[in-house]
Amino acid sequence: MTAPLLVAQAISRRFGGILAVNDFSFEIQPGEVMGLIGPNGAGKSTTFNVISGFYKPTTGKLTFLGEDITGLSAAAISRRGLVRTFQHGSLLREMTVHDNILIGALRAVRDNSGREMRVRETAALLGLGGLLHATAGSLPHGLQRMLSIAIAFAARPKLLCLDEPLTGLNSTEAVAALEVIGRIRDEYETTILLVDHNMRVVMRICDRIAVLNYGQKLAEGTPEEIRNNPDVIRAYLGDGE
Amino acid sequence: MRSARAGQIVVALAAAAVLAFAVLGDDEYTQHLLMWTALNAVLAVGLRFMLLVGETNIGTGAFYGMGAYMGAICTTKWGLPFPLALLAGGLLAIVVSTGFGLVTLRTKGPYFMLISFAFTEVVRLIYTRVEWLGGNSGIIGIFPPQALDPWMSVLTFLLCGGLILMMYLCEQSNLGRVFRAIQNNDAVVETVGIDVVQIKLVCLVIASFSVGIAGSLHAHIYNVISPGDFSYLVPVFALAYIKIGGDANVMGAVIGAAILTVLAQMLQGMGSLEHVLFGGAIVASMLVLPDGLLGGGRRLLRLFSRGRA
Amino acid sequence: MGLIAQLLVNMLQIGAVYVLFALGLTLVFGVMKVINFAHGQFFTLAALMIAVTMPEFTERFGFPAWVDYFVCFALALLTVAILGVVLYFVGFERYLRDLIGSFILSVGLLLLLEGVYLWIFTGAPRVVPKLLTGQVSILGGALETQRLVICGIALAATFGLYQLVNRTKLGRALRAVAEDREAAMLQGIRYRRISFYGFMIGSGMAAIAGGLIAPLTAISPSLGNDYLSKAFIIIIIGGLGSIPGAILGGFLIAAVESFAGYFLDSSYATIAMFMLVMVFLLVRPQGILGHAER
């Protein structure tokens, strides 16, 4: 077995009196798609913000590619190959699709012709090839979602963290998005961490899943194991779905 | 394509200068009016430069003042050659804006606006308290070399045009794209590995350098400076130029500067009416023409062409 | 001992005026997300109105000075309220939650109003007649009675506004909107109406501060400008939109100014305060009591 890509050791994050994430440990192996699920307010977003450097963990340690990245800035973590998207689709609304993706590639590729190639390749992969000169804010919702992934993926991260990439997509769009995520993993050997509400989707695409509840890890395992875990069923699958 | 557009701008500026000198003649008053316009245009473009990253930098007034005081000291106290006095104004602005930016750029939006406001006012207060800088009455007798006299307006035009062109080219480059990206959504820029504070610092330093050089020029054109010349009203007027002309591109700022500089000269000596008309122009433009004259003109054109189609 | 008491009363009185001024500014920001650079113009107008109308009143009716003062104060508040309504509906309503747009508009208003004041009232400094003569001795120091009375009124006004914001239904709505506009609107709070109330109360605070400062200083059309820069420093220290922050910041700057200002020039106090702000920023970019932007 190879060394894990990302190791989170007992990370916690406190806001005032509230412990949003409590003593959460997990590892991500190279090449896998890991899912992070849990009810609303379970601490998924906070976990995302902590590993991507937007919040400093109150306690705990983060190791990426064998290097301690605890407390580094978001930009510094990103330059090491851990890039995220945001829950509500994160775009440069007033700029063109081309310039959006270019911003993603700017730090990762050093010469202009290489950047142009990177932009075109990424846009084609995410189904934005014909829309390079459209303004990002004018795209339909589904394509805006794709564009926010394109910005992150233009940096060709080693670990791509997707925060609810499928929320608000209709079923056709969701299928297309899943296919793209699969290609990003297979063709570009990108490891993926994914947060989503849609259990069916997560179960289908993830190799391994961690379940958060009230800021703590409830369970971890293959989709099969998670599906049959009584704690998970009680805490999460029981209500709704 | 990009360099072609830059070329167009150079040609346009040169043509405007030639035209201005040809039409308006070379009497002293007109030449001064042109020089003031050029200085104000640099201020407007410099302020707009930081608006590109979404920050309102009222510190522009402080850096302009520093350039002016540094230039004045170089010429009157140290007897340095004129080009060095100009450069020193820009360099001082670089040094101070770097320090100022390192401390303050972690804040943004309203905080940065207020802090940069306080900075400009405090720096002005400091001038009034330092005897060596002439206290409340400032510094007098700041003259460029006599041999330059006939060339001063051309020199000012070229230098200011150069500074504006530099900022324009930055805006058109990838750096400018990052500026606008930060204005759109700084978190996204951060996630792709670009250090937002660092980029904002670069933006601040470039703008301050330009404004610092313009400040030193200001000292040598007006020959007299005093603390009151460098209050928060400097960036406020610059903002008015941008608003009146339109903030969509550099030319709007330049046109706005030209219009309001001439207007201000016409109102000079009218006392309170000057304030009323200037303030009134800003308020009216915000209420009637939120995109400025250029934007308004464009809207009018669009309406017109739609009517014909 | 006498000196200390004098400085202390001085600090409370200046501080209360600063607090009122800054509270208004911070309240307007909290609710409208607008920094009103023309805030000082309300302050100036109130002071100018009192300075102009009070001598007229005294001459005509011959009441005691303090009666005239209160009548003219009321008149000044009314004038400011009318100006506030006009500015809100003609201008600010269009630039709610637009930081740069409202900045330009309010700066335009700052210039316009200052020019209009200069035109109407001329630039000559005016002095309001003394409300009360006589001195009181506290802790061995002699203090002007009117200073003490004004200090009392200012503190009472500050306390009253604090209660208004903390205890009343309107206050709760104002705070709810300042904290999270969308959540407040979901609870049925009508944002536009609340933002109008917030603007009027905030501007009213500036007017009260102006009315209180009127008997203590020479009044000119640019009076508000000095207060504006100080209020900005207060707000940066206290945190934008924070009411306890504005109160703490106001008294802090007043303390530095009255104690340091007694021995040094008061502009050194302002410079010192700015240095303090820079140090604060290095440690806590969100102000002493402010919340981090997320």
Side-chain angles (χ1 to χ4, degrees), chain B residues 29-43 64 156-157 218 221-222 241 257 261 265 268:
Chain B
Y29 178 73
T30 315
Q31 293 214 352
H32 270 100
L33 205 55
L34 287 170
M35 290 194 280
W36 296 333
T37 301
L39 291 176
N40 287 337
V42 174
L43 275 170
Y64 190 62
T156 304
F157 240 72
H218 169 110
I221 289 170
Y222 284 77
Y241 308 147
T261 308
Q265 275 317 301
Q268 183 116 82

Side-chain angles (χ1 to χ4, degrees), chain B residues 88-160:
Chain B
L91 291 180
L92 179 71
I94 288 185
V95 172
V96 179
S97 65
T98 305
F100 175 74
L102 283 173
V103 177
T104 59
L105 279 174
R106 284 186 302 168
T107 68
K108 57 182 180 183
Y111 275 101
F112 184 75
M113 193 191 254
L114 293 186
I115 291 161
S116 60
F117 179 97
F119 180 63
T120 295
E121 287 304 286
V122 164
V123 168
R124 189 178 59 83
L125 263 181
I126 292 174
Y127 298 144
T128 66
R129 298 293 122 180
V130 179
E131 271 317 307
W132 190 66
L133 297 173
N136 266 318
S137 43
I139 300 176
I140 55 168
I142 314 150
F143 290 103
Q146 218 155 29
L148 271 179
D149 262 359
W151 300 103
M152 204 51 194
S153 52
V154 176
L155 186 80
T156 304
F157 240 72
L158 288 177
L159 208 53
C160 291

